[in-house]
Amino acid sequence: LWRQVRHMLLPKDYIRWRLTGDYATDPSDGSGALLLDVQRREWSSELLDALDIPLELLPPLAPAHQVTGMLSDVAAKELTLLPDIPVVAGAADTACSALGAGAVDAGALLLTISTGGQLVLPISKIAIDRAGRIHTFCGALEPRAAQAGWYQMGAILSAGLALRWMRDRVLGLGGDDAYTRMNKWAADVPVGANGLIFLPYLVGERTPHMDPQARGLFLGLTAGHGRAELVRSVLEGVALACYDAYAVLKQIGAQPKRIVMAGGGARSTLWRQILADVFDLPVQQLRVADQSAFGAALLAGGGIGLLDPATHTWASYGPPVEPNDRLHTLYEG
């Protein structure tokens, strides 16, 4: 068991050790080791005792913005940098992504449409889904008044993947403007894709079904449907699958006021509108590229006193896409 735990813990921490000569990690990365008391943001003595794992084998925990060492002479030479540069603990990819996107309170739901779809909701108090359909992790920021110290995450496996599958394997489209053409076709089709429903379970599904055997489906396909309806049904199917994951968050208290949309899917005006109508929430496109790296840079800046990552204004957004009440009612039906 320890070999498995060590495999989960050490890759990122090994990099940090190579940089400074000392091991360290933060609570957000530690959350993924299954040995952390997420509420107290420290290693769980109960789990370590039950599994007979000595605490000394685990890296020390530090806040994500804390300096955990100085760049060693060896690492500085390899990186062609000066030695003794401060090295900050940093945070897990998703925690940095939420920080870089400005999703730092429970009012902002970060929805990323890339190969898969990911929903991240910052929370100020621990809320656990006892059915195990979502994850609850420590965030990049320490819990304080009006500052979310944790986040809940749900995910679907096929989001942009489903649209790419439609482009490549079904329609066989080439050219840099393929997605633009597909969105144009779909925009001319009414809500519901003229009765065509798509389930995007092309590689199984995570939230809320947690079923690797789940499979995709076109339901209601007729000779009257064409490429426009196929594309529209994929866009809507992905949006509704994301909403299925969101429904779990709602069951345990989520009440976001807006959606921050990131990833390649955010470039689609039509997809943003569909998501706004499905969720009945305004959707804003994130205009920060590589928000995970940006979040890590904010933590580094906080570690050396350049800024406060909790209050620094960094993220920029496109204008909100407002939901249409009538279309939301249709999607609910």
Side-chain angles (χ1 to χ4, degrees):
L1 176 61
W2 168 240
R3 286 195 296 270
Q4 297 175 10
V5 172
R6 184 174 59 183
H7 175 73
M8 290 189 290
L9 281 175
L10 290 189
K12 294 177 183 177
D13 298 322
Y14 175 71
I15 294 172
R16 292 173 183 155
W17 176 80
R18 288 277 293 164
L19 290 175
T20 66
D22 295 308
Y23 283 114
T25 193
D26 82 297
S28 67
D29 255 344
S31 298
L34 305 181
L35 295 173
L36 193 82
D37 184 323
V38 176
Q39 177 74 54
R40 293 182 293 185
R41 302 171 73 91
E42 60 187 36
W43 297 121
S44 169
S45 58
E46 295 88 349
L47 285 172
L48 295 179
D49 289 344
L51 298 172
D52 195 23
I53 297 175
L55 177 62
E56 294 74 23
L57 292 177
L58 300 179
L61 288 162
H65 62 275
Q66 180 175 306
V67 174
T68 57
M70 309 301 284
L71 191 66
S72 68
D73 291 340
V74 173
K77 184 176 180 180
E78 291 183 9
L79 297 171
T80 64
L81 295 171
L82 295 175
D84 294 327
I85 294 174
V87 176
V88 174
D93 178 60
T94 300
C96 283
S97 177
L99 180 61
V104 294
D105 61 71
L109 173 69
L110 175 61
L111 174 56
T112 302
I113 300 292
S114 297
T115 299
Q118 189 179 70
L119 298 90
V120 176
L121 182 71
I123 53 174
S124 298
K125 294 183 179 180
I126 289 286
I128 304 294
D129 174 42
R130 298 298 179 183
R133 296 165 295 176
I134 64 165
H135 310 284
T136 299
F137 290 138
C138 295
L141 300 178
E142 295 294 296
R144 297 176 187 164
Q147 179 172 298
W150 299 271
Y151 65 91
Q152 297 165 333
M153 185 182 78
I156 70 169
L157 293 175
S158 299
L161 182 152
L163 193 62
R164 186 171 67 245
W165 168 80
M166 175 58 59
R167 181 196 67 181
D168 297 343
R169 305 296 293 273
V170 179
L171 298 176
L173 294 178
D176 294 338
D177 66 340
Y179 285 131
T180 300
R181 286 182 283 156
M182 291 168 68
N183 275 271
K184 185 176 180 180
W185 301 335
D188 292 332
V189 177
V191 166
N194 290 323
L196 184 60
I197 297 172
F198 174 66
L199 302 183
Y201 310 145
L202 301 180
V203 289
E205 189 54 298
R206 286 178 65 181
T207 312
H209 306 296
M210 298 300 181
D211 184 1
Q213 301 304 317
R215 290 295 176 260
L217 173 71
F218 281 108
L219 180 64
L221 185 64
T222 72
H225 292 127
R227 62 188 184 184
E229 285 85 2
L230 288 171
V231 174
R232 176 92 193 196
S233 69
V234 168
L235 296 176
E236 292 181 334
V238 169
L240 290 165
C242 288
Y243 190 83
D244 278 347
Y246 173 64
V248 179
L249 298 176
K250 287 183 66 176
Q251 288 174 15
I252 55 178
Q255 294 181 321
K257 304 301 181 186
R258 64 189 176 104
I259 293 174
V260 175
M261 189 174 174
R267 293 193 290 267
S268 169
T269 302
L270 177 59
W271 222 344
R272 295 199 303 270
Q273 185 65 64
I274 290 172
L275 284 160
D277 296 337
V278 167
F279 280 72
D280 197 27
L281 289 170
V283 174
Q284 289 182 285
Q285 180 187 7
L286 178 66
R287 289 182 173 170
V288 173
D290 302 316
Q291 71 266 20
S292 292
F294 200 71
L298 288 170
L299 293 171
I304 60 175
L306 286 179
L307 51 85
D308 182 352
T311 60
H312 185 69
T313 301
W314 58 90
S316 61
Y317 313 98
V321 175
E322 298 293 339
N324 182 303
D325 291 340
R326 181 182 65 84
L327 298 183
H328 175 66
T329 300
L330 290 175
Y331 281 122
E332 277 193 317

